[in-house]
Amino acid sequence: MKEHTTISLGHGSGGLMTRELLDDIIFKAFSNPYLDKKHDGSVVQFDGPIAISTDSFVISPIFFKGGNIGELAIHGTVNDVAMCGAMPKYLSLAFVVEEGLDIQEFKTIINSIKTTAEVCGVQIITGDTKVVERGKGDKIFINTTGFGAVHPKAKISADRIMTGDKIIVNGNIAQHGMAIMSQREGLEFESTIESDSTNLNFITQKLLDQFGDQIHLYRDATRGGIASVLTEIALDINKGVAIHEKHLPLDRQVAAACEILGLDPLYVANEGVFVAIVDEPIADDVLEMLRNDEKGTNACCIGEFTEEYPTKVVMHSGIGGKRIVSPLIGEQLPRIC
Amino acid sequence: MKEHTTISLGHGSGGLMTRELLDDIIFKAFSNPYLDKKHDGSVVQFDGPIAISTDSFVISPIFFKGGNIGELAIHGTVNDVAMCGAMPKYLSLAFVVEEGLDIQEFKTIINSIKTTAEVCGVQIITGDTKVVERGKGDKIFINTTGFGAVHPKAKISADRIMTGDKIIVNGNIAQHGMAIMSQREGLEFESTIESDSTNLNFITQKLLDQFGDQIHLYRDATRGGIASVLTEIALDINKGVAIHEKHLPLDRQVAAACEILGLDPLYVANEGVFVAIVDEPIADDVLEMLRNDEKGTNACCIGEFTEEYPTKVVMHSGIGGKRIVSPLIGEQLPRIC
């Protein structure tokens, strides 16, 4: 690989250059008994139900405050599996690289993936690398698909939500979207706004250990933010949602950035925020457990499910007003994940 | 969706337009109990070992003689799972769409995916749709990840290959690559060269039913063709491979197209050709079973593993000559799959 400083079409040929790229960078980074077989796929075994989730990551820029596309591709899919009440164990990893990508940047991304996968406790067991001509992609797109064993106590399903159920978020919202937007717009704040990209698999399993089927639903609030998650659920289960503005956990600088750019933080993407919808009687205990965990220090109960306004999300403002939170129409922040 | 004739960034927002696209086109086409839950992932159950494989498809043009990118994305991953000795059962499906893609084209691709998945006997259980700005992608890229139960008699592993093992291919080589190349170059032949894109899951399972662990390895000869599969295996297991030119199944017109374009059919991509490496004593019976199946009518035994020339593939020509088949260096046909 010494002679190459950028990715070329030959790296996607399936021939010697592909093999060198795999051997020198990818297999070396992720070596494990599954990948080392270098077959078209890998064979794994699970006892019991398996949660599966897939996501493609097309974020721009690929390096941003608080992370990069590689880290995000692991967190994103690990979290989607976790939202099914499962502990992610294996991931597939597929790249679509634009000709001309700097090989050092590619290596940095691979190293991030390696480190992040280790922290999350997942193994990369199979993969794919394609290269497209300059101008037919944008540096790098990554797909990850994750597999995990469902927690034995988990009964995660929107149809288990009852009137009175509490809506808890684990931390400050709108960080990820505003980190990307600030960077794109060249905005400077007292301190840098960083993406909240992180893994939620351990905390979500811990809650299931303790509270089992009293946790009715997990959803991570990525593209479209908290508003999109809640408006979708309200519509799907034909119940109303009341949320309380004063309980929304929101960093002061993120709030300021949203003001400047005219964005509503409810719609801004997160990468480390999830919504837990839980039986009303356990809400305080869930909050306490979250606040004692590093992934939930700013956890808040932001609202509840109601019989009023079925299919609608209603925001109660600090001064006693009410407004309907509409579903996001069109695009707010393209390529945020 | 009536008002939209092309895909716009809003379709990737995670908001209402994404939801409409999913509801009107994707969920409608693939409706099943897994997808209908509309969660971040799906939960499935397997008894015993599971084969997993992932592939991203970036082929250009997206519609070609004998198929389209949607059909290919199903066949490709179904076949990779089949090559692990498994019967594919579930697929994830993730799109990266370029802004401006014609919605009718998108629907045609979705319908192809639906039909192909039905023929292959697989269900789409989870997915993702991202949209990138015009000029940052190329119409549509598709990732599929497949899961299947490993055949109880399968013991597919390169380290089980022995000297004397026979190398069998199921049909005419180089069809897919030459179909794409002819189309790109505007070449016309007496009859059109069509891609061989097809599913190999039923035939590979049928062989395992009959011959069990006497089948040592399956590999599909996609990017880089037969040459890349064999040179990789020879290197990995430190054995020699002898192949016989006169036994290579090759359509006359495909051979002519290769001549015209100066391409060696051994390196040209296939999408319906696999290599089975089998115990010498069963080779004739494997051939017979293949030739009696629609996926193997042109099956041939093209060579064997030898102690001579370890790590090398040696081609024996019709007139008694020999040449080393080198690994493919660089790129032959970009974006062939």
Side-chain angles (χ1 to χ4, degrees):
Chain A
M1 296 291 301
K2 282 181 212 73
E3 69 272 40
H4 302 289
T5 58
T6 62
I7 298 284
S8 70
L9 287 173
H11 287 119
S13 64
L16 204 61
M17 283 179 70
T18 305
R19 183 63 182 250
E20 280 179 2
L21 186 78
L22 293 177
D23 284 346
D24 292 356
I25 302 183
I26 297 180
F27 288 139
K28 200 186 272 177
F30 304 127
S31 175
N32 64 47
Y34 303 101
L35 268 192
D36 295 350
K37 289 206 166 197
K38 299 179 183 177
H39 199 277
D40 287 332
S42 279
V43 174
V44 300
Q45 185 127 17
F46 278 95
D47 294 321
I50 310 160
I52 300 178
S53 187
T54 193
D55 245 331
S56 291
F57 297 85
V58 299
I59 193 166
S60 173
I62 57 174
F63 295 96
F64 50 84
K65 294 283 186 290
N68 64 51
I69 191 169
E71 189 186 316
L72 194 68
I74 302 301
H75 286 153
T77 291
V78 158
N79 292 349
D80 279 347
V81 172
M83 295 306 124
C84 298
M87 181 56 103
K89 192 166 178 192
Y90 305 114
L91 292 188
S92 67
L93 176 66
F95 299 107
V96 175
V97 183
E98 184 192 14
E99 181 188 14
L101 178 72
D102 188 292
I103 288 208
Q104 280 309 324
E105 288 193 341
F106 186 62
K107 284 186 178 169
T108 304
I109 291 166
I110 295 288
N111 283 332
S112 255
I113 291 175
K114 176 186 162 71
T115 312
T116 310
E118 282 166 5
V119 169
C120 298
V122 295
Q123 280 183 302
I124 309 295
I125 57 162
T126 189
D128 181 49
T129 305
K130 294 290 189 321
V131 181
V132 296
E133 309 92 321
R134 220 178 277 265
K136 300 294 185 185
D138 195 11
K139 294 190 172 169
I140 186 167
F141 301 147
I142 304 179
N143 177 281
T144 48
T145 305
F147 321 95
V150 177
H151 193 290
K153 289 186 185 172
K155 271 190 161 176
I156 302 276
S157 184
D159 57 21
R160 298 195 56 242
I161 296 173
M162 300 177 300
T163 300
D165 274 10
K166 291 293 184 184
I167 300 165
I168 292 171
V169 298
N170 65 312
N172 287 351
I173 65 168
Q175 298 276 147
H176 176 73
M178 294 324 296
I180 303 299
M181 277 305 275
S182 307
Q183 200 168 331
R184 286 191 197 157
E185 303 289 327
L187 295 182
E188 303 254 346
F189 297 92
E190 286 162 50
S191 65
T192 311
I193 298 175
E194 290 202 350
S195 167
D196 63 339
S197 179
T198 196
N199 61 308
L200 300 168
N201 51 330
F202 297 110
I203 181 64
T204 47
Q205 291 282 298
K206 203 163 89 174
L207 291 173
L208 284 166
D209 287 342
Q210 182 69 25
F211 302 107
D213 66 3
Q214 289 187 285
I215 292 167
H216 296 158
L217 197 71
Y218 284 142
R219 284 288 295 274
D220 57 348
T222 53
R223 270 190 298 182
I226 295 280
S228 296
V229 166
L230 294 179
T231 53
E232 267 190 33
I233 298 170
L235 203 64
D236 281 343
I237 66 169
N238 198 31
K239 287 194 189 299
V241 169
I243 51 176
H244 308 283
E245 196 160 28
K246 66 176 181 211
H247 293 151
L248 282 175
L250 186 60
D251 173 79
R252 196 173 49 81
Q253 285 197 104
V254 171
C258 285
E259 281 269 333
I260 292 169
L261 295 168
L263 296 169
D264 182 340
L266 267 189
Y267 294 89
V268 175
N270 310 280
E271 287 295 341
V273 170
F274 71 105
V275 172
I277 298 168
V278 306
D279 247 356
E280 191 275 332
I282 63 162
D284 287 342
D285 295 338
V286 169
L287 264 184
E288 195 189 328
M289 183 177 269
L290 277 168
R291 285 176 179 161
N292 286 320
D293 189 284
E294 54 161 354
K295 308 287 180 179
T297 41
N298 296 312
C300 286
C301 177
I302 64 165
E304 56 279 326
F305 279 81
T306 70
E307 288 295 319
E308 274 188 305
Y309 317 110
T311 77
K312 303 288 181 210
V313 177
V314 175
M315 165 78 97
H316 296 257
S317 79
I319 52 164
K322 283 193 263 196
R323 67 176 171 92
I324 302 257
V325 176
S326 340
L328 172 65
I329 300 167
E331 180 56 284
Q332 192 186 43
L333 303 168
R335 297 183 58 193
I336 205 69
C337 62
Chain B
M1 296 292 299
K2 282 179 213 77
E3 67 273 39
H4 302 289
T5 58
T6 61
I7 298 284
S8 70
L9 287 172
H11 287 120
S13 64
L16 204 61
M17 284 179 68
T18 305
R19 183 62 182 253
E20 280 179 0
L21 186 78
L22 293 177
D23 284 346
D24 292 355
I25 303 183
I26 298 181
F27 288 139
K28 200 186 274 176
F30 304 126
S31 175
N32 65 46
Y34 303 103
L35 268 192
D36 295 350
K37 288 206 165 200
K38 299 179 182 177
H39 199 278
D40 287 332
S42 279
V43 174
V44 300
Q45 184 126 19
F46 278 95
D47 294 322
I50 309 158
I52 299 177
S53 187
T54 192
D55 245 331
S56 290
F57 298 84
V58 299
I59 192 166
S60 174
I62 58 174
F63 295 96
F64 50 84
K65 295 282 187 289
N68 64 51
I69 190 170
E71 189 186 317
L72 194 69
I74 302 301
H75 286 153
T77 291
V78 158
N79 292 348
D80 279 347
V81 172
M83 295 305 124
C84 299
M87 182 54 103
K89 192 166 177 192
Y90 304 115
L91 293 187
S92 67
L93 175 65
F95 299 107
V96 175
V97 183
E98 184 191 14
E99 181 189 13
L101 178 71
D102 188 291
I103 288 208
Q104 280 309 326
E105 289 193 340
F106 186 62
K107 283 185 180 170
T108 304
I109 291 166
I110 295 289
N111 283 332
S112 256
I113 291 175
K114 175 186 162 70
T115 312
T116 311
E118 281 166 7
V119 170
C120 298
V122 295
Q123 280 183 301
I124 309 295
I125 58 162
T126 189
D128 181 49
T129 305
K130 293 292 189 321
V131 181
V132 296
E133 308 91 322
R134 221 177 275 267
K136 299 295 185 185
D138 195 11
K139 292 189 173 170
I140 186 166
F141 302 147
I142 303 179
N143 178 281
T144 48
T145 304
F147 329 99
V150 177
H151 193 289
K153 289 186 184 173
K155 270 189 161 177
I156 302 277
S157 183
D159 57 21
R160 298 194 56 241
I161 296 173
M162 298 177 303
T163 301
D165 274 10
K166 292 292 184 185
I167 300 164
I168 293 172
V169 298
N170 65 311
N172 287 352
I173 66 168
Q175 297 277 145
H176 176 73
M178 294 325 296
I180 304 299
M181 277 306 275
S182 306
Q183 201 167 331
R184 286 191 197 157
E185 303 289 328
L187 295 182
E188 303 255 346
F189 297 93
E190 286 162 52
S191 65
T192 310
I193 298 176
E194 289 203 351
S195 168
D196 63 340
S197 179
T198 196
N199 61 307
L200 300 168
N201 50 330
F202 298 110
I203 180 64
T204 47
Q205 292 282 298
K206 202 163 89 174
L207 291 174
L208 284 167
D209 287 342
Q210 182 69 26
F211 302 106
D213 66 2
Q214 289 185 285
I215 292 166
H216 297 157
L217 197 71
Y218 284 143
R219 285 287 296 274
D220 57 347
T222 53
R223 269 189 299 181
I226 294 280
S228 295
V229 166
L230 295 179
T231 54
E232 266 190 34
I233 298 171
L235 203 66
D236 280 343
I237 67 169
N238 198 31
K239 290 196 188 298
V241 169
I243 50 177
H244 308 282
E245 196 160 26
K246 66 177 178 207
H247 294 150
L248 282 176
L250 186 60
D251 172 80
R252 195 174 50 82
Q253 285 198 101
V254 171
C258 284
E259 281 269 332
I260 292 169
L261 295 168
L263 295 169
D264 182 340
L266 267 189
Y267 295 89
V268 176
N270 310 281
E271 288 295 340
V273 170
F274 72 104
V275 173
I277 298 169
V278 307
D279 248 357
E280 190 275 332
I282 63 162
D284 287 342
D285 295 337
V286 169
L287 264 184
E288 195 189 329
M289 184 176 269
L290 277 168
R291 286 176 180 163
N292 286 320
D293 189 284
E294 52 159 355
K295 308 288 181 180
T297 39
N298 294 311
C300 286
C301 178
I302 64 166
E304 56 279 327
F305 280 81
T306 70
E307 287 296 318
E308 274 188 305
Y309 317 110
T311 76
K312 303 287 182 212
V313 177
V314 175
M315 166 77 97
H316 296 256
S317 80
I319 53 166
K322 282 192 264 195
R323 66 176 172 92
I324 300 259
V325 176
S326 340
L328 172 66
I329 300 168
E331 180 54 285
Q332 192 188 42
L333 302 169
R335 299 185 55 195
I336 204 69
C337 61

